[in-house]
Amino acid sequence: MERITALLFLLQASVTVVNTGSHSMWVFATFIHGQTQFPEFSILGFVDDLQVLYYDRNIKKLVSRSQPSSTKGVEDIMLLGANIVIEDMYTYMKNPSHRARLFGNHTGGVRVHQKLAGCVLDNDKPSQVMVWDAYDGIKVMHFDLHNHTVNPLWPEFIWTTKAAEIFLMELINIYQPICVQTLKYYLEKEKNIVLRKERPRVRLIQKTCRETGVVKVSCLATGFYPRHIKLTMLRDDRPIPDEELIFGEVLPNGDGTYQTRRTLSISSEKAREKHRYTCSVTHLTLDNKLDINWESGEGANVAVISSMVVVLVLVLVLIFAIPAFIVYKKRCRGI
């Protein structure tokens, strides 16, 4: 305990406070029970969406995925704190009694136990530490400073009051300070990446199905960073119910920014009505929300009208071009 107390003192003394907005530190641990070609135990550490740490039990070494630090001593302190967390996770996930509770009804084969743990900084105000456990992809347990929930399929993971109190004290006094200070360290170290700000480019895309007359209106936001964004579609200034919309995931672009979209299908009858549709976007880079509007009605059949114009032009070309070509050929032959 004295070692941990000294470490926490060093962490507090060595990290510069950074006013950052909202950022998070997450550790994703995987323990594989059974024989595979993968390491028995591995960990990935992320600040926001940037991987900064890697560890597996084969190499038994914590590897930094970020650029070399000019403050080597400070980084050593950070890695020491991370190693304490890693060893605790490994001991817990490998514990025979814990494994018996988790895998007692299964014999043979390969079983996977995963743990996600992390913390959030919101303008330098730390949130509670959060921990989730999953077994073969199914959530088993969640624990934070206020709640302890267990999947009903695993009632054996309902802790006694004493055990919950002990773990709560560890979260408050050990894991949260290590998580928060490590997060602050990497925010400062990788600020050119994780603290950059890119404004979203927003478009409303309208497509009309010629056969059905259904109009699909998509609100597309792209090129933004960080990835947190609020995108809303409205009809006559009222939010459109979620069940009417198709929600796109927040996906990465090739340049490190993100994109996402919402799509609404409008029937041909509804498209002929006079409604104003709005794509409203809120993002860290915007002083105010960004609204883009489109009105249905006259513009609903633009694609169909355009197609008819193209066909008419082609018909006129054929009507006048064919006789002209015949006259030209006759002249060439001297007729």
Side-chain angles (χ1 to χ4, degrees):
M1 190 66 188
E2 291 180 359
R3 177 178 176 229
I4 293 176
T5 303
L7 169 68
L8 296 178
F9 176 78
L10 288 171
L11 285 171
Q12 293 285 352
S14 60
V15 175
T16 303
V17 176
V18 181
N19 195 311
T20 61
S22 181
H23 296 275
S24 58
M25 176 87 202
W26 295 105
V27 171
F28 186 71
T30 301
F31 197 109
I32 301 175
H33 298 266
Q35 296 298 317
T36 71
Q37 70 270 35
F38 302 107
E40 174 194 40
F41 178 68
S42 61
I43 278 184
L44 299 175
F46 293 87
V47 170
D48 294 343
D49 49 7
L50 178 68
Q51 185 184 347
V52 294
L53 296 170
Y54 174 78
Y55 173 91
D56 71 52
R57 205 62 185 176
N58 290 348
I59 61 175
K60 295 184 180 179
K61 179 182 178 182
L62 189 59
V63 179
S64 177
R65 296 297 197 199
S66 61
Q67 295 298 317
S69 175
S70 59
T71 54
K72 180 66 174 147
V74 175
E75 184 162 33
D76 289 341
I77 296 172
M78 295 300 115
L79 296 181
L80 177 59
N83 271 305
I84 289 174
V85 175
I86 288 172
E87 288 301 320
D88 284 353
M89 281 188 173
Y90 177 74
T91 301
Y92 169 71
M93 298 172 83
K94 189 177 177 63
N95 186 291
S97 62
H98 168 74
R99 183 170 58 179
R101 286 194 302 167
L102 192 60
F103 302 102
N105 296 329
H106 302 278
T107 57
V110 174
R111 303 293 170 183
V112 179
H113 179 196
Q114 293 171 304
K115 181 183 289 288
L116 177 66
C119 58
V120 177
L121 270 180
D122 192 357
N123 289 320
D124 287 328
K125 295 180 180 179
S127 78
Q128 57 187 326
V129 173
M130 295 157 278
V131 182
W132 289 265
D133 282 87
Y135 157 61
D136 284 353
I138 300 173
K139 189 173 81 169
V140 174
M141 182 172 61
H142 167 244
F143 200 107
D144 59 40
L145 302 187
H146 303 294
N147 297 294
H148 173 214
T149 58
V150 175
N151 188 320
L153 296 176
W154 282 271
E156 59 270 29
F157 278 87
I158 300 175
W159 291 0
T160 64
T161 302
K162 185 65 175 177
E165 289 176 352
I166 292 173
F167 187 60
L168 182 61
M169 293 303 294
E170 290 176 346
L171 285 183
I172 295 173
N173 297 315
I174 300 175
Y175 300 118
Q176 177 150 325
I178 290 175
C179 184
V180 169
Q181 298 306 319
T182 304
L183 171 55
K184 287 182 177 181
Y185 168 75
Y186 279 107
L187 284 177
E188 177 63 28
K189 184 180 179 184
E190 302 291 347
K191 59 186 176 183
N192 291 337
I193 299 176
V194 296
L195 298 185
R196 77 186 195 276
K197 297 177 182 179
E198 302 286 349
R199 290 172 56 92
R201 302 187 301 275
V202 184
R203 290 189 297 161
L204 265 175
I205 303 172
Q206 173 211 345
K207 292 183 180 179
T208 303
C209 178
R210 192 180 305 170
E211 290 77 16
T212 64
V214 172
V215 179
K216 285 192 174 182
V217 179
S218 293
C219 176
L220 172 66
T222 187
F224 56 88
Y225 191 93
R227 75 189 303 275
H228 305 290
I229 193 170
K230 182 179 180 182
L231 193 156
T232 307
M233 291 191 72
L234 304 98
R235 181 190 293 115
D236 299 330
D237 298 325
R238 295 183 178 181
I240 298 173
D242 289 349
E243 56 268 22
E244 294 185 32
L245 298 172
I246 299 174
F247 285 75
E249 299 291 334
V250 178
L251 301 174
N253 291 320
D255 60 359
T257 62
Y258 291 92
Q259 63 168 290
T260 189
R261 70 174 64 206
R262 303 283 184 271
T263 301
L264 173 69
S265 292
I266 307 171
S267 66
S268 56
E269 295 80 10
K270 196 79 172 178
R272 285 192 288 269
E273 299 175 4
K274 289 287 186 178
H275 291 288
R276 184 176 72 259
Y277 294 91
T278 304
C279 175
S280 183
V281 175
T282 304
H283 189 256
L284 180 66
T285 59
L286 302 172
D287 295 330
N288 300 297
K289 66 177 181 177
L290 177 61
D291 292 341
I292 296 181
N293 298 311
W294 171 74
E295 291 192 10
S296 62
E298 293 180 0
N301 295 312
V302 169
V304 177
I305 294 171
S306 298
S307 299
M308 293 174 63
V309 170
V310 170
V311 171
L312 180 59
V313 170
L314 289 174
V315 170
L316 292 174
V317 168
L318 291 174
I319 290 174
F320 290 103
I322 292 176
F325 179 74
I326 294 173
V327 170
Y328 170 75
K329 296 295 286 184
K330 287 183 177 180
R331 286 179 177 174
C332 289
R333 295 174 182 172
I335 298 175

